[in-house]
Amino acid sequence: MTKKEELSASLVPRAVRVASLLSEGEELSGDDQGDEDESDPAYEGVPNGGWHTSSLSSSLPSSLRTPELLPYPMDGLAGGPRPAAPVIKAGWLDKNPPQGSYIYQKRWVRLDSDYLRYFDSNKDAYSKRFVSVACISRVAAIGDQKFEVITNNRTFAFRAESDAERREWIQALQQAVAEQRARARLSSAHPLGICGPELPDRSGSLELRGFKNKLYVVVVGDKVQLYKNLEEYHLGVGITFIDMSVGNVKVAADRRSFDLTTPYRIFSFSAESELEKDQWLETMQDAIAEALSTLEVAERIWSSAPNRFCADCGAAQPDWASINLCVVICKRCAGEHRGLGAAISKVRSLKMDRKVWTETLIELFLQLGNGAGNRFWAANVPPSEALQPGSSPGARRRHLEAKYREGKYRRYHLLFGNQEELDKALCAAVTTTDLAETQALLGCGAGVNCFSGDPEAPTPLALAEQAGQMLQMEFLRNNRSTEVPRLDPVKPLEKHYSVILPTVSHSGFLYKTASAGKLLQDRRAREEFSRRWCVLSDGVLSYYENERTVTPNGEIRASEIVCLAVPPPETHGFEHTFEVYTEGERLYLFGLESAELAREWVKCIAKAFVPPLAEDLLARDFERLGRLPYKAGLSLQCAREGWFSLTGSELRAVFSEGPCEEPLQLRKLQELSIQGDSENQVLVLVERRRTLYIQGERRLDFTGWLGAIQKAAASSGDTLSEQQLGDSDIPVIVYRCVDYITQCGLTSEGIYRKCGQTSKTQRLLESLRQDARSVRLKEGEQHVDDVSSALKRFLRDLPDGLFTRAQRLAWLEASEVEGEEKVSRYRELLTRLPPVNRATVKALISHLYCVQCFSDTNQMNTHNLAIVFGPTLFQTDGQDYKAGRVVEDLISHYVAVFSVDEEELRKQREEITAIVKMRVAGTASGTQHAGDFICTVYLEEKKAEAEQHIKIPASMTAQELTLEILDRRNVGIREKDYWTCFEVNEREEAERPLHFAEKVLPILHGLGVDSYLVVKKQQSMEAMLLYLASHVGDTKHGMMKFREDRSLLGLGLPSGGFHDRYFILNSSCLRLYKEIRSQRPWNGAPDTSHRPEKEWPIKSLKVYLGVKKKLRPPTCWGFTVVHETEKHEKQQCTMVWCGPRSPPVCPGRCLMCLGWAACRSFPCAAMRTRCAGVWLPSPRTPSLSFATSEHGARPSAGTSPPGSLPVQTPLSAVCLACLV
């Protein structure tokens, strides 16, 4: 080729050049088909030459070392792939044409130490073909500047521009092959027998868009390799490979397809099934993580010679580790370590889990690592039981179980068996640098949390911290939840749940599919099942090819089973199936045609892995059974293991605290939510008086539990009893609609008579039927007519109707009865209804009673409502007038028929009045409120696990809200516990404790985006009680630092700073003066003859504890006062206590006490009745005053006598908030 020709070839635009093999489907039938079918040409006697053994740099001419090679397109990307094999030679060559054609095709050819590749262009990222250097048998010249690259059964012919260039290519290829063979010989001669080529992580056939036939795809390390078929994979001749450092995978629109995207090309693959697609996705995502991983941590840990080989099998360059066992392991052993569970081994990657590897942990592995680890854990391994790099997964699992779970090979400590001495030795060892001794003691049973005898440092961890032993602290932290290896027999009830008594035996034929690593989303066809002879004996489920086979195809140990699930019939190809989940994150699917045989197998397997503690769960059929870690109560520090059984909508549990079953009605849950990230998910189930946290320790079975519980907690049908229910057995769907209309539609003209939009109504009704608990109806998002139409359609579509088909006629006949007998008849019929129907009828009629109370506004009186709801509830389509009469009678005689007492009726009217007032106020101010009034309240602090969603009725007080939250979380109230509900404003950095009788709903409507409610203990209550017990004077007065916004209060004071002001507080107002008033000599009261500069009525003030730091207060004892005018304008000022030292009752905490005493009530919402004894005995309302003294403030011990000065108390120590 001339220089001009080469230049022209390089300048051909990419769009008009022949597309790469990966761009056109026909390419395989063109250029590369000739590669397969061409016959061996006759050689022309050109000598092949000998294989060179000298170094490549010395044997190749200088012209071969081309420093100006065009860059490989992937190499320039930021954060690109790990360093690839260096390019030995690259250039343009003519490639042999297909099937003997004489039209040569120009290709850009690149050779490195691993592959010979050729491309359409020197700018292409992906090759048309590649040949593994390890598969090349020889390279030969054949004349006319041509040469051949010969593999086992393939020959690739190329033509160079000149004999010199051909000679350079031959020498480069021969040298690369020689060095490849030398590396192979060195690998095979390694004493551990380490294999050279890396085994693939996944391989199989996939469809690739643009190709007629499937390709054979191999994922190995951080690369995805494409081959025409399996044969070419074994021959080492492929199409191209994709470096996953620049790749990303995502799901395509088709359920079986996914896309592998790179900056240069999108590869669209299709698998046989959705399950297979998920497996490919997971493998490719691991390859991306591998490509983006770093060797920095691994190389530092490998600097210790024992850490360069796997602690269990001896494989070279292990890139995983167990951070609690402190050993470095290979990828294959890491998978089996995960199967042991986090209580035995906590597995982390050296390359990917960068945040885990702190300097302390790396140093710990350098100090301990595989050297010290194997001197303890593998001190007595027989050669016959030792692992090799090529050992099977079953052999690895058995070895690691014996090594780490049972401690079979460990070196026993001299104190083994003496628990007290082990604990003492551990407490002594952690104060030294002897990490190996600490490891041996913990591995032989020393308690990591044992009591040291020192109250100041009660645990070994505290002792290590006291001694400054950072490595000991790191090792102890990583082993806080590690189980002690047990080889000795223990009593069944003391043994861990996973240790099973092997007393169950069963055998027979089962149909089995291949195990899966993810949930089975698609239906498994009958053809995918294989008939296997299965034997359950001695705690092991083994499956054989047939009943005559001696060696099992595989086995499942009962101790590894964590869950047993029974899908509905005909879920898969066999009518009856069951699923077995194991600790190793594998799912096994079995099937049978006979229901009886399937039930028998399920019962036997369940008996084999369920301990005696939970055997009562086997008394009834179940849909899912297994063990899960859980937490209960307020404390979330300690997770325990419990056994759970799901049957219908009931979740039954057996906890470690006691053997009694505890049922949870999932459809009656107040909350079902998922907290935490994808790696550490927690399922929160909130029932009346109880909250349960179920943790996702293993992703596979937890995902199955999560889906099953969510499905069981949702509505399962159209009847009332199949809906999600509230505390009063009223369907949540009815709750949601009625509450929304009550709070947003009572004054809407034509409510229930007008119809909503059909499409919106249908969508809303579908979402409510699916999961009404999670639906939040909000004004502005849903119109009241859409919600009312959804409620009517739900009631009209009930299969049995609200009044049931059996009793419908009796209700219609009762409408014709006259006088008092009619009410009695309705009462009798009401008692005959099922409980859910009866509760729903009362809730609905109560709501309609409220609607007709506003008939002057909404034009819906009792008669109009009866016309609408009669045909709806009795499903008569308006054909029977008596249906409307029944509804009209029930609304008119609501109090008598449903036995509503005066207190309930008064409470209902107050709620409606409050709602209407707030809506009027909201309309005047232009604001809109959520229709459902579902409030998020936190317990003790604002965090996800402390979050509670609660419905706020108009009449709910702060006391009721506090008790409700504590009741939900099952928090007991101890002596001197004072729980209060606080309004917290994050933007103003202030909080306000609510009075126990204060209504919550108006506060909720006034909360901004930066505010929330939290229930927590009032820490300063003891000091307040002391203050309340003292008989204070008539007024309070004193100096404080004061700041205000001129634009708000308009007092003429300079803004932006605090100024000294004198304040006087009495029972009616708070007054501000620029200077101290003189004292009256006869009684010590301040002189108030001068007019104050400012005066605020006490009832218009709200006091928030705290001052925004941005204002730079002179001291920390501050509070913020908000004054609301008659025009609902809010003005704000800030006050700070500036005494010589902190006041005895913190002004930032106790602004409640005196005012609450003045209203003869107690501030603590949860403790009102308990603390009634601290109310002031004086029948009069005490007035309040303030003053300061040089020695600080102290509460007075009694009432000041006439003629004496009152005891001086700081103004900020008095409750302004409670006088509001």
Side-chain angles (χ1 to χ4, degrees), residues 1043-1062:
R1043 182 190 185 279
E1044 62 184 343
D1045 189 336
R1046 182 189 308 191
S1047 62
L1048 290 177
L1049 296 181
L1051 299 182
L1053 297 176
S1055 61
F1058 285 86
H1059 305 274
D1060 290 326
R1061 289 295 179 266
Y1062 188 80

Side-chain angles (χ1 to χ4, degrees), residues 248-324:
N248 187 29
V249 289
K250 62 179 182 180
V251 179
D254 185 3
R255 295 173 58 188
R256 299 185 299 107
S257 302
F258 63 96
D259 294 337
L260 171 55
T261 61
T262 71
Y264 319 105
R265 167 89 181 158
I266 298 178
F267 302 88
S268 297
F269 294 102
S270 293
E272 288 289 341
S273 65
E274 189 173 1
L275 174 63
E276 186 180 351
K277 176 205 69 176
D278 293 339
Q279 294 171 344
W280 277 105
L281 279 174
E282 184 178 6
T283 305
M284 290 190 180
Q285 287 167 349
D286 292 342
I288 293 173
E290 176 78 12
L292 299 178
S293 62
T294 175
L295 286 173
E296 179 184 354
V297 173
E299 288 174 346
R300 290 183 61 184
I301 289 181
W302 290 343
S303 63
S304 175
N307 293 343
R308 297 172 193 165
F309 302 97
C310 175
D312 297 323
C313 71
Q317 293 185 331
D319 52 3
W320 292 81
S322 172
I323 61 173
N324 63 316

Side-chain angles (χ1 to χ4, degrees), residues 381-646:
V381 179
S384 60
E385 298 182 22
L387 287 181
Q388 302 298 327
S391 296
S392 66
R396 290 177 195 269
R397 181 169 61 253
R398 288 188 293 271
H399 178 84
L400 298 181
E401 285 272 356
K403 184 176 181 180
Y404 297 113
R405 187 186 293 280
E406 301 173 6
K408 180 179 178 180
Y409 313 122
R410 59 185 164 177
R411 175 176 55 84
Y412 286 93
H413 196 276
L414 294 176
L415 300 176
F416 179 77
N418 190 332
Q419 188 65 48
E420 183 178 355
E421 293 300 324
L422 282 172
D423 293 344
K424 289 181 180 179
L426 177 64
C427 293
V430 296
T431 62
T432 69
T433 59
D434 194 349
L435 292 165
E437 177 70 5
T438 302
Q439 185 181 47
L441 288 167
L442 287 178
C444 287
V448 69
N449 295 313
C450 64
F451 181 60
S452 66
D454 184 359
E456 296 183 359
T459 64
L461 180 61
L463 288 173
E465 183 177 10
Q466 191 179 66
Q469 297 294 333
M470 301 300 295
L471 297 182
Q472 294 277 13
M473 292 171 60
E474 181 73 17
F475 188 66
L476 291 171
R477 286 194 195 100
N478 292 337
N479 282 276
R480 276 184 295 190
S481 58
T482 302
E483 290 183 2
V484 178
R486 286 186 178 274
L487 193 59
D488 53 319
V490 296
K491 295 180 182 179
L493 290 178
E494 295 176 347
K495 202 143 183 152
H496 188 271
Y497 284 146
S498 61
V499 181
I500 310 304
L501 295 176
T503 58
V504 183
S505 297
H506 196 63
S507 62
F509 279 105
L510 286 174
Y511 292 85
K512 176 185 175 297
T513 64
S515 65
K518 287 194 174 182
L519 293 181
L520 304 178
Q521 304 292 345
D522 292 334
R523 174 185 174 88
R524 288 299 179 95
R526 193 182 184 94
E527 294 75 20
E528 299 181 65
F529 288 80
S530 302
R531 189 169 183 257
R532 295 289 182 264
W533 176 258
C534 298
V535 177
L536 175 63
S537 179
D538 293 331
V540 178
L541 174 62
S542 305
Y543 45 93
Y544 301 79
E545 191 71 27
N546 52 58
E547 68 272 27
R548 296 181 298 276
T549 306
V550 178
T551 304
N553 291 3
E555 62 182 28
I556 305 172
R557 298 179 62 178
S559 59
E560 297 175 354
I561 299 176
V562 296
C563 180
L564 182 61
V566 183
E570 300 184 356
T571 301
H572 299 287
F574 280 86
E575 183 175 1
H576 303 282
T577 56
F578 60 91
E579 301 170 350
V580 177
Y581 296 75
T582 66
E583 287 182 343
E585 301 279 355
R586 304 303 297 176
L587 186 156
Y588 299 84
L589 176 64
F590 297 91
L592 279 170
E593 287 291 358
S594 169
E596 290 299 325
L597 291 178
R599 185 179 297 109
E600 188 176 358
W601 269 106
V602 168
K603 289 291 184 183
C604 290
I605 295 175
K607 289 179 181 178
F609 82 98
V610 173
L613 178 72
E615 62 184 4
D616 289 343
L617 296 176
L618 307 180
R620 58 183 64 85
D621 289 338
F622 53 83
E623 298 165 18
R624 188 170 288 265
L625 173 73
R627 54 184 167 94
L628 289 167
Y630 74 94
K631 297 179 182 178
L634 184 62
S635 175
L636 302 180
Q637 282 75 27
C638 180
R640 302 176 183 176
E641 198 169 50
W643 288 86
F644 298 86
S645 171
L646 179 63

Side-chain angles (χ1 to χ4, degrees), residues 28 101 134 154 418-419 508 579 720 752 806 925 930 990 1061 1174 1180:
L28 273 176
S101 173
R154 296 287 302 277
N418 190 332
Q419 188 65 48
E579 301 170 350
L720 281 178
Y752 286 118
S925 60
R1061 289 295 179 266
V1174 303
R1180 64 183 178 89

